[in-house]
Amino acid sequence: MKHLDLDKTNIDLTVIINEIAANQSEVVITRQGLPVARIVPDTISDQVTKNYPLRGMPIKIAADFDEPMSEL
């Protein structure tokens, strides 16, 4: 966990976000030694994959997809 003091450093948000995304670590922003904010990496929940179990699987369409059905 990295600590950055607002009063002592010139903070560039883009650099902080890139570091968090690359290292999957958190950063605590402090003012006069007291923590005022914490930036943590976002995680993709398993809920997305549970709702869509076929996501990422190849799609196969039969050659006779648009042919009329024999029962009709």
Side-chain angles (χ1 to χ4, degrees), residues 34-70:
L34 299 173
V36 293
R38 181 173 60 144
I39 304 174
V40 296
D42 190 21
T43 57
I44 299 174
S45 68
D46 292 336
Q47 189 69 21
V48 173
T49 57
K50 288 180 184 175
N51 288 340
Y52 305 101
L54 300 178
R55 180 174 281 179
M57 295 183 70
I59 297 173
K60 297 178 184 177
I61 299 175
D64 61 349
F65 169 74
D66 56 348
E67 296 294 323
M69 296 176 63
S70 58

Side-chain angles (χ1 to χ4, degrees), residues 6-65:
L6 286 175
D7 299 326
K8 295 180 181 176
T9 60
N10 183 9
I11 297 175
D12 183 12
L13 186 59
T14 305
V15 173
I16 294 172
I17 298 300
N18 289 342
E19 181 179 336
I20 291 171
N23 299 335
Q24 291 295 305
S25 62
E26 65 181 53
V27 174
V28 175
I29 309 291
T30 60
R31 180 179 287 144
Q32 298 175 353
L34 299 173
V36 293
R38 181 173 60 144
I39 304 174
V40 296
D42 190 21
T43 57
I44 299 174
S45 68
D46 292 336
Q47 189 69 21
V48 173
T49 57
K50 288 180 184 175
N51 288 340
Y52 305 101
L54 300 178
R55 180 174 281 179
M57 295 183 70
I59 297 173
K60 297 178 184 177
I61 299 175
D64 61 349
F65 169 74

